[in-house]
Amino acid sequence: MLLRVASFPTKTSILLPFFCKSSNALFFHSKRCIYISRNYTSMTIIYNAKNQPKSLVSMARKTTHFSTTSAEALLQSSTNMGNRISRKKARRESPEMILRVKLDMCSKNGDLAEALRLYNEARANNVQLNVHHYNVLLYLCSPKSDSGEEDGEDFVRLDKGFQIFKQMRIDKVEPNEATFTNISRLAAAKEDPKLAFDLVKQMKDHGIVPKLRSYGPALFGFCKKGMADEAYEVDSHMIDNGVLAEETELSALLRLSSEVKREGKVYEMMHRLRATVRQVSEETASTIGDWFRSKRAAEVGAEKWDVRKVKKGVLEGGGGWHGQGWLGKGNWTVVRTKMDEAGVCQSCGEKLVCIDIDPEETENFAKSLAKLASEKEARTNFAKFQEWLQRHGPFDAVVDGANLGLANQHTFSFPQIMRVVNQLRQISPTKKFPLVILHQSRVSGGPAQHPNNKKLLETWKRAGALYSTPQGSNDDWYWLYAAVSSKCLLVTNDEMRDHLFNLLGNSFFPRWKEKHQVRIKPSNNGLILHMPPPYSLVIQESEQGSWHIPTVTGDDLETPRQWVCATRMRSHE
C-alpha cells in the first residue's frame, strides 16, 4: 500500500515566513521541505506498510509529525547559518576591522604617514582602537635601523610613538608583550636604555612573561654606552626569568667586557658561548680575536696553577674545558687554522678532544623525541614502529632512504642506497644490515616496481632492515628516533634545521648530531661516507690554557672548517 503525505501542518506554515529573509529563501526552503516530505516520508510509509500494517490515520499522523520536525530542524539550521554569516559580515565591515586591515597594509609598506592619518581619522570618528591597532602604530614609529644615527625625521617618529603609547594608557587598552617590546625599542632609539629596562620590569605587573626580544633594546643600549654593570643586571634579569641569551647577546656582552677590561666576565661569556652556540659567527670570532690580542688579555692569568685541579675540572666537565680561569701570562698568538682528520690543530699541534655525551641524556632525549613524534604523527602508527624497532633492533646504522636515494640524482636510485648499505655493513662490528627508512610510496611505486629493485627490497625486508612509513607520515621522525634509540650512526645529508628539528631545542640535539651523523659526498667513484669527526666541534679550552674556537665558515665536507687558535707565546711548563 502506497501513501504520500506532502502537506505542512499549520504550525510550520506560520513559522516558515519568519525564518526566511527573502522570497528566494522562502522558495528554496519550501522546495527542500516538499522534497523531504515527498521522498523520504513516502519511503518510510512503504516500509511500514509492508512490515507493520497500521491504519491510514496512524500512518498519516506519524508522517505528518516527521515532516513537521524535519522542516523545523532544517529551518532552524538555515537560520543559525544565516546569523553566523551576518555576524561575520558585520565584523568584517566594522570600522575597527577596516582600520586594522588598512594599518596592516601600512605596516607591510612601511608607510607611517598614512598610518598616522588613519589614526587621527579614527580618533576623530570615535573608532575604538584595540591593542593590535596600537602595536602596529608603535612598530611603525620604531627607528628604521639600529645604527643609532638619528636625524630630525627619526626624532619626530620617536616622539609620536611615545604620544601614541600615552594615549593607549589613557584609553586603558591593556598592553601585551609586543607593546612593551615596541616601546622599549623607541626608548633605546632615544638612547635611554634605562627606560627600556624599566618597561621590561613593568611587564610582570601586567602578567606578561618577557621574551628574548624584549630585553634586546635595554641590553644592547647599555652595551653601546659602555654601561657594564647595567648590562650585567639585564643579563641577570633574563636568567632569573628563564630567558636564555643567544649568540648575539653573548657576543655583545663579551665585547663590552673586553672593552671595560672585565676579564672574569670575558671568561664567563666564552664558556656560555661554548655551551650555547658551539660554532660562532664571523662577527663573534672577530670579537674573540680582539680580546686575545688586547693588552689586558696578555696581563691576566695564573703563571702557576694546580695541575691536579685543572685535570679534575676537565674530568668533571666531560672534557674540552676546565673552568679554572685564564692560565698563563704573556701575549697571545691568534691565527686562523684548520684541523686534520684526527683533530690536530695545524697551527699549534694540539689535539682536540671528543666530549662525551651522558648516556642518561641520550635516554631522556629518546623519550622526549618519542613523545613529540606521537603528538605530531598518528599515535598508533608511531607506536607500531616502536614495537617493530624493539623486535628487530638495535641497529649499528640507520639510513634516511629518501635523502640518500636522491643524493646527486635527478631520479630516485635504489642502487645508490644499496652501495651505501653494503659499505655500512662492511664496517659494522656485527656485520648487520643497517635499517633503511623509506616512505610507503617509495617501496610500492615508481622505481620500486623494477624487478631488480623489487628483489633488493625483499632482501632488506627478510633481513628486518626495511621499514616503510605509512601514508601521511613524516619519515624524519622515524629515522631520527631509530638512530637515537639504537645509539647508532645516522646516514643523511639533511641538515636538520627546519621547524621539526627546532622543536628538539639547541642543547642536546646539536651535540648528538655532531657525533652520530654520517654525511655523503659524491665523487667519481660514487658516494663517499663522511664519518663524524673524532673530536667535538665546540669551543675547547686546553689544560695548558690555549683556546680553539670553531667558526661557521666551512663544513669539513666541501671546504675545511675554519678555527680560531689562541695560544700563549710563553706556555706553562
Side-chain angles (χ1 to χ4, degrees):
M1 184 174 188
L2 186 62
L3 178 67
R4 295 192 177 197
V5 179
S7 60
F8 286 100
T10 306
K11 182 178 179 182
T12 306
S13 301
I14 295 171
L15 287 172
L16 192 59
F18 290 96
F19 285 114
C20 301
K21 297 182 178 294
S22 67
S23 58
N24 289 335
L26 177 60
F27 175 72
F28 171 76
H29 289 303
S30 298
K31 287 181 70 178
R32 290 292 301 272
C33 292
I34 291 169
Y35 174 82
I36 291 171
S37 61
R38 283 183 177 175
N39 295 282
Y40 193 84
T41 305
S42 298
M43 290 171 63
T44 305
I45 295 172
I46 292 168
Y47 176 82
N48 288 339
K50 286 183 178 181
N51 297 285
Q52 299 177 13
K54 294 183 180 180
S55 67
L56 292 178
V57 175
S58 63
M59 286 193 293
R61 285 174 180 169
K62 186 169 184 178
T63 306
T64 301
H65 174 71
F66 175 82
S67 299
T68 304
T69 305
S70 300
E72 290 177 350
L74 178 63
L75 293 171
Q76 184 62 48
S77 175
S78 300
T79 302
N80 291 340
M81 183 177 291
N83 289 339
R84 285 197 297 271
I85 293 172
S86 297
R87 286 195 296 270
K88 284 184 179 180
K89 183 179 180 183
R91 283 197 299 270
R92 191 169 57 248
E93 296 178 353
S94 68
E96 291 78 12
M97 182 56 70
I98 293 172
L99 176 62
R100 175 175 180 143
V101 171
K102 289 182 177 180
L103 284 176
D104 286 346
M105 186 58 67
C106 291
S107 177
K108 181 179 179 181
N109 298 329
D111 192 346
L112 176 61
E114 176 61 13
L116 292 176
R117 188 194 69 78
L118 291 169
Y119 169 69
N120 292 328
E121 181 181 79
R123 294 202 59 79
N125 294 327
N126 294 319
V127 176
Q128 186 174 0
L129 275 71
N130 59 35
V131 66
H132 180 83
H133 298 134
Y134 278 113
N135 283 345
V136 172
L137 289 161
L138 291 173
Y139 170 77
L140 285 168
C141 289
S142 299
K144 297 176 182 178
S145 68
D146 297 326
S147 64
E149 297 177 2
E150 299 171 352
D151 54 26
E153 182 182 347
D154 286 328
F155 279 116
V156 172
R157 294 165 72 98
L158 298 178
D159 288 340
K160 194 63 182 177
F162 282 106
Q163 290 173 24
I164 290 171
F165 182 59
K166 181 180 180 181
Q167 186 61 52
M168 182 180 181
R169 286 185 161 177
I170 292 172
D171 292 345
K172 296 182 179 179
V173 175
E174 187 66 20
N176 58 20
E177 184 273 333
T179 310
F180 281 105
T181 298
N182 282 325
I183 198 66
S184 293
R185 286 172 179 161
L186 293 173
K190 292 195 74 170
E191 298 193 356
D192 191 351
K194 184 179 182 302
L195 174 58
F197 190 29
D198 288 340
L199 287 163
V200 174
K201 294 175 182 177
Q202 291 176 28
M203 294 173 74
K204 187 175 181 181
D205 298 333
H206 292 266
I208 301 170
V209 178
K211 295 181 180 179
L212 179 60
R213 67 177 187 176
S214 308
Y215 288 98
L219 180 65
F220 297 130
F222 285 132
C223 288
K224 180 182 175 183
K225 284 178 170 285
M227 301 170 69
D229 290 335
E230 290 80 359
Y232 298 146
E233 184 185 353
V234 175
D235 183 41
S236 297
H237 198 276
M238 290 169 62
I239 295 171
D240 292 342
N241 284 277
V243 178
L244 297 178
E246 296 181 356
E247 181 176 5
T248 306
E249 292 76 25
L250 293 173
S251 182
L253 287 166
L254 191 152
R255 186 184 306 109
L256 172 65
S257 301
S258 177
E259 290 171 353
V260 298
K261 301 179 180 180
R262 300 279 283 270
E263 63 274 6
K265 280 293 184 178
V266 174
Y267 189 81
E268 176 191 334
M269 298 308 155
M270 288 288 290
H271 278 291
R272 287 172 67 180
L273 281 168
R274 174 191 58 78
T276 305
V277 181
R278 301 181 72 77
Q279 297 95 44
V280 303
S281 67
E282 283 297 322
E283 184 179 356
T284 301
S286 177
T287 299
I288 292 172
D290 290 343
W291 157 254
F292 281 114
R293 294 186 187 96
S294 69
K295 183 180 178 181
R296 184 61 178 170
E299 295 172 347
V300 301
E303 288 191 272
K304 295 182 179 180
W305 58 87
D306 189 332
V307 174
R308 288 176 298 179
K309 193 173 182 180
V310 169
K311 287 185 178 294
K312 182 181 178 182
V314 172
L315 184 64
E316 291 178 349
W321 66 285
H322 52 75
Q324 299 302 307
W326 302 109
L327 302 182
K329 279 190 182 294
N331 293 328
W332 293 81
T333 300
V334 185
V335 297
R336 285 296 183 101
T337 186
K338 61 183 180 180
M339 304 295 155
D340 67 12
E341 292 183 356
V344 176
C345 177
Q346 298 298 283
S347 175
C348 70
E350 186 167 316
K351 191 176 189 302
L352 300 186
V353 302
C354 183
I355 301 171
D356 295 333
I357 292 179
D358 188 343
E360 187 177 345
E361 280 189 285
T362 304
E363 290 294 336
N364 292 336
F365 182 66
K367 290 176 183 177
S368 64
L369 180 59
K371 183 175 181 293
L372 270 172
S374 297
E375 292 171 356
K376 300 297 178 181
E377 295 286 309
R379 186 178 296 274
T380 53
N381 288 343
F382 198 77
K384 182 180 177 182
F385 172 64
Q386 288 178 289
E387 293 171 2
W388 183 93
L389 201 58
Q390 285 183 341
R391 293 196 306 272
H392 295 86
F395 295 89
D396 294 327
V398 175
V399 175
D400 175 5
N403 184 272
L404 184 55
L406 290 169
N408 204 37
Q409 298 286 327
H410 295 295
T411 57
F412 195 83
S413 173
F414 278 102
Q416 186 161 268
I417 301 177
M418 179 190 68
R419 287 191 289 271
V420 172
V421 165
N422 290 339
Q423 287 184 63
L424 291 168
R425 194 179 181 193
Q426 288 174 7
I427 63 175
S428 166
T430 63
K431 304 303 177 186
K432 185 177 180 179
F433 274 101
L435 171 61
V436 179
I437 302 285
L438 281 168
H439 196 270
Q440 179 63 42
S441 60
R442 292 290 186 189
V443 300
S444 59
Q449 296 302 310
H450 190 280
N452 289 341
N453 294 337
K454 274 188 175 182
K455 184 178 179 181
L456 182 64
L457 290 169
E458 284 301 321
T459 300
W460 293 343
K461 284 180 183 177
R462 286 196 302 271
L466 174 67
Y467 191 88
S468 55
T469 58
Q471 293 291 339
S473 64
N474 186 339
D475 56 357
D476 292 4
W477 289 114
Y478 291 79
W479 49 253
L480 181 58
Y481 177 77
V484 172
S485 60
S486 293
K487 303 179 180 65
C488 69
L489 298 174
L490 170 62
V491 183
T492 181
N493 271 5
D494 193 322
E495 290 298 330
M496 295 178 263
R497 290 174 179 166
D498 62 22
H499 70 282
L500 182 155
F501 300 104
N502 288 335
L503 296 172
L504 304 175
N506 59 0
S507 176
F508 177 82
F509 182 53
R511 288 185 286 138
W512 181 90
K513 185 174 74 166
E514 177 187 296
K515 293 176 70 69
H516 294 83
Q517 183 180 7
V518 178
R519 292 178 292 174
I520 45 182
K521 182 179 180 180
S523 72
N524 294 332
N525 299 320
L527 296 179
I528 298 175
L529 296 181
H530 191 85
M531 304 303 286
Y535 55 93
S536 295
L537 301 174
V538 65
I539 296 175
Q540 296 200 21
E541 175 192 34
S542 77
E543 294 180 27
Q544 287 72 42
S546 62
W547 289 78
H548 290 88
I549 300 97
T551 72
V552 295
T553 303
D555 59 0
D556 288 328
L557 190 63
E558 299 294 335
T559 56
R561 185 180 301 279
Q562 289 191 23
W563 290 69
V564 175
C565 170
T567 57
R568 297 276 189 182
M569 291 183 180
R570 289 189 298 108
S571 60
H572 175 73
E573 297 295 335

